[in-house]
Amino acid sequence: MDHYDSHHTNDYMQPEDDWDRDLLLDPAWEKQQRKTFTAWCNSHLRKAGTQIENIDEDFRDGLKLMLLLEVISGERLPKPERGKMRVHRISNVNKALDFIASKGVKLVSIGAEEIVDGNAKMTLGMIWTIILRFAIQDISVEETSAKEGLLLWCQRKTAPYKNVNIQNFHISWKDGLGFCALIHRHRPELIDYGKLRKDDPYTNLNTAFDVAERFLDIPKMLDAEDIVGTARPDEKAIMTYVSSFYHAFSGAQKAETAANRICKVLAVNQENEQLMEDYERLASDLLEWIRRTIPWLENRAPENTMQAMQQKLEDFRDYRRLHKPPKVQEKCQLEINFNTLQTKLRLSNRPAFMPSEGKMVSDINNAWGGLEQAEKGYEEWLLNEIRRLERLDHLAEKFRQKASIHESWTDGKESMLQKRDYETASLSEIKALLKKHEAFESDLAAHQDRVEQIAAIAQELNELDYYDSPSVNARCQKICDQWDNLGVLTQKRREALEKTEKLLETIDQLYLEYAKRAAPFNNWMEGAMEDLQDTFIVHTIEEIQGLSMAHEQFKATLPEADKERQAILGIHNEVMKIAQTYHVNMSGTNPYSTISTQEINSKWDRVRQLVPKRDQALMEEHARQQQNERLRKQFAAQANVIGPWIQTKMQEIGRIAIEMHGTLEDQINHLRQYEKNIVNYKPKIDQLESDHQQIQEALIFDNKHTNYTMEHIRVGWEQLLTTIARTINEVENQILTRDAKGISQEQMNEFRNSFNHFDRKKTGMLDSDDFRACLISMGYNMGEAEFARIMGIVDPNRLGVVTFQAFIDFMSRETADTDTADQVMASFKVLAGDKNYITADELRRELPPDQAEYCIARMAPYIGHDAVPGALDYMSFSTALYGESDL
C-alpha cells in the first residue's frame, strides 16, 4: 500500500485488501469506486438532509466529511471551522482524521492537505478506510470478522443456489446471480429466482440493483455495465455494495449474535474463575514461603566468633537482596490481581470474590506483617550479637594489655622487697630507703586500680559468656595471688625499716614537708593553668553565667593560694637557713621532690597572667549569648502565632469539609477563596524561615520560649496546603459524579444531610452500622445478604468505613438500576400478554436493544427451568431481575 494503510487491533483486513496504486490508476476501477463510494456516502448523508455530487470536491472543506462521520458513528465531533480559508479546511479535515484514528484505525500517508487539495487517490483511500471501519470491521460470522466474515456470510446465504459460487469480491459477482440469491434468500417474494439465467448478467444485475433500491433502501451504487464491462470488477466497490446487503439483512443474524454474546459471558466467567484459581495458588505459595521463612528468622542460636556472626549477617543480607524482593513483587501482583478480579466481577454484576479461609488479602498482610516483625527482630538480634562479640573482643584485648602491663610492672618486685640491705645502711641511707619504700607503697596503691580493673574485666567477660573464659580466669587468678603476696612483703619491709629508724633530722622533716606541700600546690597550679586556658562551648546565657560565677570563685581563692606559696617557699628558706647555720653538707637536691622554687614562682606568674585573659573571653561569650537570646525570642514571637494559626485553619477546613452548605459550585468557590487566603499567608512563613536561618547560622540548637520548631511549622504548612487541595478535589469529584449521573442539587443536599447526620464522629466517613442506619432512613428495607452486597460495592477493600464519594456513587447507581428494571418489567407484562411467558427472541424483536440485552443477561441462568423451553414466566423473570428476596 503506497499512499495509505489502515489497521485495527483485531487485524480485520488481510494484506491483500491494501490499497494498490496501480489498480487505482485503472480508469475503470477508479470509476467504479467513485460511483460506489459516492452512493455509500449519500446513503448516510441523506439522513442529515444533504448529499455529495463530486467525491473529490465536496469533502475538501471537511464539513460534509465531519457530518458523515457523525451520522455513521452516532457521536459528536468537535465544532467545525466555518471559515473558507485553506487553514480552516485543513483544521476540519484534521478533526475528521483524528476521529478516525481514535477508533483504532492507523492512517498512513493520508494527510489533510491532500484531501483539501482534492487528491482523488487519497480521498478514495480515506473513504475506503471509513467504510472498512464502520461498515465492514464489525461484521462477525462464526469467529471470523471483517472481509472474511462478510465473505463467509455470502457463502452461507448463497450455498443452496445453483450457478452461484462466491469465492471473492470481484469475478464471483459478474453474472449478477450472487446479488439476486442474497435478496431471494431473505425476501423471496421480491425476485423470481427460477427465471434468471447465468448467461444474462445485465438482466440479473439490473434486477438485483433495482429491487434493492426500491424495497431494501439500498441505493444503486453501480451500473450493470460497470461490472460486466470489466474483466475484474473493483473489489472494494463490490465489498461496499455487498456490505449494504449484509446490514440490510442483519436482523436475521440476531439469533447468532445472542449465541455469541452468551459465549462471551461464559468466556468472561471462565477468565474470572482462572483469576480466582491463580489468586488461591499464589496466596498459598506466598503463605507457605512465609511459614518456612519465619522459623529461620526466629532462630537465635549465638555464635562464638565474629566471623561466624558476620556470615549470618551476610546470609540475612542475601535474603533481603535476593530472596525477599521476588516475594514482595508476588505480594504486590497478588493484590493487583485481587483488585482486578473484584472490578471485573463488579462490572459484570457478579458477587465479589471471597478467597478461601486464611487467604484473604488481610490474612496475607497479617502474615507479611509477622514476617517483617520477625525480620526486624532477627536483624536487631544479629546487630546486638555482633556488638556483643565486638565488645567481648575489645574486653579480651583490653584484659591482655592491662595484664601484660601489670605483669611487666610486678617483674622483680618480689625480689626487691625481700632484700635485707637496710641492715648495713647508714642513718641517711635508712631514711632514703624508708622514703623509697613509701614511694613504692604509693605506687603500689596506684596500681590497685589496675588490678581491680583486670578483675572487673574478667568478671564481665564471664558474664558475657566469653568462649575463652577459662584461660582468662586462670591468668586473673595468678595476678591476684601475686598481688596479695606483694602486699604481705611490702608490709614486712616497712616494719623492718621502721625498727631501724632512730633518728629523724630536722632537714629531712623539712624536705619532706616541702615535698608534701609543693606537689599538691604544683598540681593545683597546673590544673588552674589548664582550666584558665581551657576552651568552652555554651549554648545559653545561663551556662555562661555559671562559668563566670565559677571563675569569680576561683579568683577568690588566689589569696589563700598565695599564702600557701609563701609557706612552701618559707620551708625551702628554712632548710637553707638550717644548712647555713649548722653548716650541713647539702650533697644534693631535695630527695623527696623534683619541684624547685623557681618552677613554683614561674607557674604562679603564669596563673596571674591567664586570669585577665579568661575574664575577657567570658565577657565576649556573655555578649554573644545575649544576642542569641534575642534571636530566640524573635523566632518564638512569630512561631507562637503561626503555629496556632495553622492548627486553627486545619480545624476550620475539617469543619468546612463536613458542614458544606449551598451548591457544590458555591462550596468550591468558597474553598478556593479560602485557599487563596492561605496562600497569601506565605510571606509570614518565609519571614519565619529567614529568622530560622539566622538562628542556625548562630548555632542555636534549642529555644525555651516556644514549643514550635521550624520543622513543625513546615510540616503543618504543607499539611494545610495538602488538606485544602484534597478538599477542593473531593468537591470537584462530587461535581463530576453529579453531572455524570444527573443528580440534582436537592438530591446532593439530601445525600449530604443524611450522610452528615449519621457521621456522628465527624470524620467524613460512616462505619457499617451508621451506614445501615443512613440507608434505612432513606427508605431502604434490606436483609443481611442485601446489606452485605451493598457493603461489597461501597467498601470493596473491606476497610469497614464508607466515604461520602462512595455513598454518592452507590445512590446514583441504585437509582439508575431501579429505573431500568422497572421499564423492563413493564415491557414484560405488555409483551407476555395472556400466555404469561416470553422468549429471548421476542425480547430482541420487541424491546429496544438496551432493555432487551439487560433482560437476557439477567434471565440467562433461569432459561430452561420453566415448562416452555427457552422461555421464562413472570415469576422466574422477576426472580432473575430482583432476586427471591424481592418477590
Side-chain angles (χ1 to χ4, degrees):
M1 182 161 53
D2 297 323
H3 299 293
Y4 84 98
D5 192 6
S6 60
H7 292 284
H8 187 264
T9 55
N10 294 327
D11 296 330
Y12 57 84
M13 290 303 298
Q14 298 296 328
E16 66 197 43
D17 293 307
D18 292 344
W19 195 264
D20 191 301
R21 177 187 298 181
D22 296 333
L23 295 179
L24 181 59
L25 295 178
D26 186 332
W29 283 39
E30 184 177 348
K31 176 183 177 182
Q32 293 175 29
Q33 289 181 5
R34 284 177 178 274
K35 184 179 295 186
T36 305
F37 292 177
T38 299
W40 184 87
C41 292
N42 284 335
S43 70
H44 294 285
L45 287 173
R46 68 185 181 184
K47 300 175 184 177
T50 187
Q51 64 179 12
I52 61 171
E53 298 295 334
N54 188 327
I55 201 168
D56 299 341
E57 295 296 323
D58 293 348
F59 286 138
R60 291 180 63 186
D61 61 2
L63 296 175
K64 290 188 177 180
L65 178 59
M66 294 178 70
L67 182 60
L68 174 64
L69 291 172
E70 287 186 342
V71 171
I72 63 179
S73 68
E75 299 178 22
R76 295 291 295 175
L77 270 70
K79 184 177 180 180
E81 302 285 346
R82 293 298 179 180
K84 297 185 178 298
M85 297 177 64
R86 176 180 176 82
V87 65
H88 297 139
R89 295 184 175 194
I90 290 175
S91 176
N92 290 336
V93 174
N94 272 328
K95 290 176 181 178
L97 295 180
D98 290 342
F99 178 79
I100 295 172
S102 71
K103 297 303 180 180
V105 178
K106 181 181 179 184
L107 298 172
V108 179
S109 300
I110 298 180
E113 292 78 5
E114 288 85 356
I115 305 302
V116 172
D117 293 338
N119 187 313
K121 293 184 294 182
M122 294 303 170
T123 303
L124 291 174
M126 177 189 66
I127 298 301
W128 174 240
T129 299
I130 294 173
I131 294 171
L132 280 175
R133 173 61 183 85
F134 294 98
I136 298 175
Q137 173 188 340
D138 293 330
I139 296 174
S140 177
V141 179
E142 294 186 4
E143 299 184 354
T144 62
S145 59
K147 177 182 176 181
E148 290 78 10
L150 182 60
L151 182 62
L152 179 60
W153 178 80
C154 295
Q155 291 171 343
R156 293 292 175 83
K157 297 301 180 181
T158 61
Y161 295 86
K162 64 180 179 177
N163 296 327
V164 178
N165 183 17
I166 304 300
Q167 297 298 326
N168 49 55
F169 288 104
H170 36 82
I171 60 175
S172 295
W173 303 86
K174 286 191 65 174
D175 58 7
L177 291 178
F179 289 105
C180 293
L182 288 177
I183 296 174
H184 185 267
R185 178 65 181 270
H186 295 90
R187 297 290 298 277
E189 75 277 7
L190 299 180
I191 291 180
D192 187 355
Y193 189 84
K195 293 182 178 182
L196 300 177
R197 293 184 294 110
K198 185 176 181 62
D199 58 355
D200 190 5
Y202 286 94
T203 300
N204 299 339
L205 290 168
N206 286 328
T207 299
F209 294 164
D210 292 340
V211 169
E213 186 173 25
R214 291 176 58 195
F215 300 101
L216 302 179
D217 199 27
I218 299 175
K220 190 173 183 179
M221 300 183 184
L222 290 172
D223 293 323
E225 293 77 11
D226 296 330
I227 298 177
V228 178
T230 305
R232 186 175 185 269
D234 179 64
E235 186 178 52
K236 297 172 180 60
I238 298 297
M239 284 180 65
T240 302
Y241 212 159
V242 172
S243 69
S244 298
F245 283 83
Y246 171 86
H247 289 295
F249 300 130
S250 62
Q253 303 299 320
K254 287 185 177 179
E256 294 180 38
T257 302
N260 291 335
R261 186 174 293 108
I262 292 174
C263 292
K264 289 181 180 179
V265 171
L266 292 176
V268 170
N269 289 341
Q270 290 175 342
E271 181 181 356
N272 290 342
E273 290 174 359
Q274 183 61 45
L275 285 175
M276 295 177 189
E277 293 176 1
D278 291 344
Y279 175 90
E280 292 284 339
R281 176 177 52 79
L282 288 175
S284 298
D285 294 344
L286 183 59
L287 289 171
E288 177 60 21
W289 178 81
I290 293 173
R291 185 190 64 79
R292 294 195 311 268
T293 305
I294 287 179
W296 174 68
L297 294 173
E298 292 177 344
N299 182 16
R300 299 293 188 270
E303 299 292 343
N304 291 330
T305 65
M306 178 68 75
Q307 182 179 2
M309 287 307 298
Q310 289 285 2
Q311 183 59 47
K312 281 197 171 185
L313 181 60
E314 186 62 28
D315 293 342
F316 180 72
R317 288 172 178 165
D318 287 342
Y319 155 79
R320 277 268 184 85
R321 185 173 58 251
L322 303 177
H323 303 297
K324 186 180 178 183
K327 299 303 178 181
V328 173
Q329 185 64 32
E330 288 180 13
K331 177 177 177 292
C332 179
Q333 188 61 45
L334 191 68
E335 294 176 355
I336 292 172
N337 290 349
F338 181 83
N339 293 333
T340 300
L341 175 59
Q342 298 293 38
T343 300
K344 289 184 175 182
L345 292 173
R346 183 169 62 254
L347 291 176
S348 58
N349 291 326
R350 299 287 297 168
F353 169 59
M354 289 294 295
S356 302
E357 183 177 356
K359 297 180 183 178
M360 294 286 293
V361 172
S362 58
D363 296 327
I364 294 173
N365 287 334
N366 291 337
W368 191 265
L371 173 72
E372 292 187 331
Q373 187 65 31
E375 180 180 313
K376 178 182 178 182
Y378 186 72
E379 183 178 25
E380 292 175 353
W381 175 79
L382 281 176
L383 296 177
N384 289 335
E385 277 297 297
I386 289 175
R387 283 193 289 267
R388 184 182 71 86
L389 290 176
E390 188 178 35
R391 171 69 174 164
L392 285 174
D393 290 345
H394 171 73
L395 288 174
E397 180 62 24
K398 188 175 182 180
F399 175 85
R400 286 189 289 271
Q401 290 179 358
K402 287 185 177 294
S404 298
I405 292 172
H406 178 78
E407 289 167 348
S408 176
W409 180 82
T410 57
D411 184 39
K413 293 294 188 296
E414 290 175 300
S415 299
M416 182 269 295
L417 291 173
Q418 292 174 349
K419 287 182 180 180
R420 305 181 66 85
D421 51 349
Y422 53 85
E423 294 179 350
T424 57
S426 64
L427 177 62
S428 61
E429 291 173 343
I430 289 295
K431 288 186 175 293
L433 289 175
L434 183 61
K435 301 306 178 183
K436 183 179 180 182
H437 187 71
E438 290 177 353
F440 172 77
E441 286 180 326
S442 298
D443 196 9
L444 186 67
H447 280 77
Q448 176 69 32
D449 289 339
R450 179 179 289 119
V451 174
E452 293 175 355
Q453 290 174 5
I454 291 173
I457 293 172
Q459 179 64 25
E460 187 172 359
L461 287 172
N462 280 277
E463 292 174 354
L464 293 176
D465 296 330
Y466 182 55
Y467 74 98
D468 198 21
S469 293
S471 63
V472 170
N473 293 336
R475 191 173 184 181
C476 180
Q477 185 62 44
K478 181 179 178 182
I479 289 172
C480 292
D481 293 341
Q482 186 185 38
W483 182 256
D484 293 339
N485 189 39
L486 284 175
V488 172
L489 293 176
T490 299
Q491 181 63 27
K492 289 181 178 180
R493 182 170 178 82
R494 165 170 278 281
E495 292 173 355
L497 290 173
E498 287 178 346
K499 288 179 183 179
T500 60
E501 184 181 17
K502 300 297 182 181
L503 184 62
L504 298 176
E505 297 290 332
T506 303
I507 194 168
D508 291 326
Q509 293 177 347
L510 292 173
Y511 271 146
L512 183 59
E513 180 66 19
Y514 176 92
K516 288 183 179 181
R517 297 182 72 172
F521 185 73
N522 181 66
N523 290 337
W524 176 87
M525 288 192 298
E526 289 179 348
M529 288 189 294
E530 182 179 355
D531 291 339
L532 290 170
Q533 297 179 87
D534 187 25
T535 58
F536 51 83
I537 299 176
V538 295
H539 300 291
T540 64
I541 195 167
E542 290 80 5
E543 292 178 359
I544 192 62
Q545 289 174 347
L547 289 177
S548 298
M549 184 179 298
H551 182 63
E552 292 300 323
Q553 292 174 352
F554 167 76
K555 290 194 295 182
T557 63
L558 289 178
E560 286 294 327
D562 189 49
K563 290 180 181 180
E564 179 67 12
R565 180 181 70 88
Q566 294 294 340
I568 294 172
L569 295 178
I571 294 173
H572 177 74
N573 293 336
E574 183 69 17
V575 170
M576 293 298 102
K577 183 179 180 180
I578 292 174
Q580 184 178 4
T581 301
Y582 298 102
H583 307 285
V584 177
N585 182 18
M586 303 295 294
S587 60
T589 60
N590 190 334
Y592 308 113
S593 175
T594 60
I595 302 171
S596 66
T597 56
Q598 293 82 2
E599 183 178 355
I600 290 175
N601 288 329
S602 174
K603 290 182 178 179
W604 176 255
D605 293 338
R606 179 60 178 161
V607 170
R608 297 295 300 270
Q609 293 171 1
L610 290 174
V611 168
K613 293 182 179 180
R614 184 70 168 185
D615 290 335
Q616 181 65 27
L618 289 172
M619 290 174 60
E620 292 174 355
E621 181 62 25
H622 190 272
R624 191 177 75 86
Q625 288 302 323
Q626 286 180 327
Q627 173 64 13
N628 288 351
E629 185 68 9
R630 185 190 66 79
L631 291 176
R632 288 188 182 94
K633 292 179 179 179
Q634 179 177 325
F635 176 85
Q638 297 183 72
N640 289 337
V641 173
I642 294 175
W645 181 87
I646 291 176
Q647 293 172 350
T648 300
K649 294 303 176 184
M650 288 289 288
Q651 295 170 357
E652 290 176 358
I653 293 172
R655 289 195 298 271
I656 291 173
I658 295 176
E659 301 173 0
M660 290 185 175
H661 303 289
T663 66
L664 295 179
E665 286 75 9
D666 294 339
Q667 295 168 13
I668 202 166
N669 290 335
H670 178 60
L671 286 171
R672 284 175 176 158
Q673 182 61 39
Y674 207 84
E675 181 183 33
K676 182 179 179 181
N677 295 337
I678 291 175
V679 172
N680 291 338
Y681 202 76
K682 183 65 165 57
K684 295 186 178 180
I685 303 296
D686 296 337
Q687 179 60 41
L688 191 63
E689 285 281 7
S690 176
D691 293 344
H692 178 66
Q693 182 177 354
Q694 295 183 42
I695 286 178
Q696 287 184 323
E697 291 172 353
L699 301 178
I700 300 173
F701 302 107
D702 57 356
N703 193 342
K704 67 181 180 180
H705 304 293
T706 180
N707 293 327
Y708 294 100
T709 66
M710 194 64 230
E711 182 63 23
H712 292 154
I713 299 297
R714 290 192 195 105
V715 171
W717 177 252
E718 292 169 359
Q719 288 178 347
L720 180 61
L721 294 178
T722 300
T723 301
I724 187 66
R726 183 173 62 249
T727 305
I728 291 174
N729 178 254
E730 289 176 356
V731 177
E732 289 174 343
N733 287 337
Q734 293 173 22
I735 292 175
L736 290 176
T737 302
R738 180 198 66 188
D739 295 343
K741 300 298 185 177
I743 302 175
S744 66
Q745 184 62 45
E746 290 74 14
Q747 289 176 308
M748 288 295 294
N749 292 338
E750 180 184 354
F751 293 159
R752 168 57 74 181
N753 292 335
S754 298
F755 189 90
N756 287 344
H757 176 74
F758 288 95
D759 183 12
R760 299 180 177 89
K761 299 177 182 177
K762 303 305 178 185
T763 62
M765 295 181 289
L766 301 180
D767 58 27
S768 58
D769 293 337
D770 291 339
F771 180 56
R772 180 195 293 271
C774 182
L775 290 180
I776 292 174
S777 73
M778 299 185 73
Y780 280 80
N781 184 13
M782 67 206 127
E784 289 296 331
E786 177 63 13
F787 181 69
R789 179 188 72 82
I790 293 174
M791 283 299 293
I793 294 172
V794 299
D795 182 22
N797 293 325
R798 300 181 180 273
L799 300 177
V801 293
V802 180
T803 65
F804 182 63
Q805 186 63 41
F807 177 72
I808 292 177
D809 292 342
F810 167 74
M811 295 304 300
S812 59
R813 193 182 73 170
E814 287 295 302
T815 302
D817 287 347
T818 301
D819 292 344
T820 302
D822 291 344
Q823 292 174 8
V824 175
M825 285 308 301
S827 299
F828 177 89
K829 294 177 181 179
V830 173
L831 297 178
D834 296 335
K835 66 180 184 295
N836 197 33
Y837 67 83
I838 191 168
T839 66
D841 291 338
E842 288 175 333
L843 284 173
R844 294 192 184 95
R845 185 174 63 251
E846 301 295 342
L847 292 180
D850 59 336
Q851 293 184 5
E853 296 309 321
Y854 177 84
C855 292
I856 293 169
R858 297 294 292 265
M859 65 187 280
Y862 298 90
I863 292 179
H865 295 180
D866 301 303
V868 180
L872 285 179
D873 61 16
Y874 180 83
M875 292 301 293
S876 297
F877 190 80
S878 176
T879 301
L881 286 180
Y882 302 117
E884 297 189 10
S885 61
D886 296 328
L887 289 178

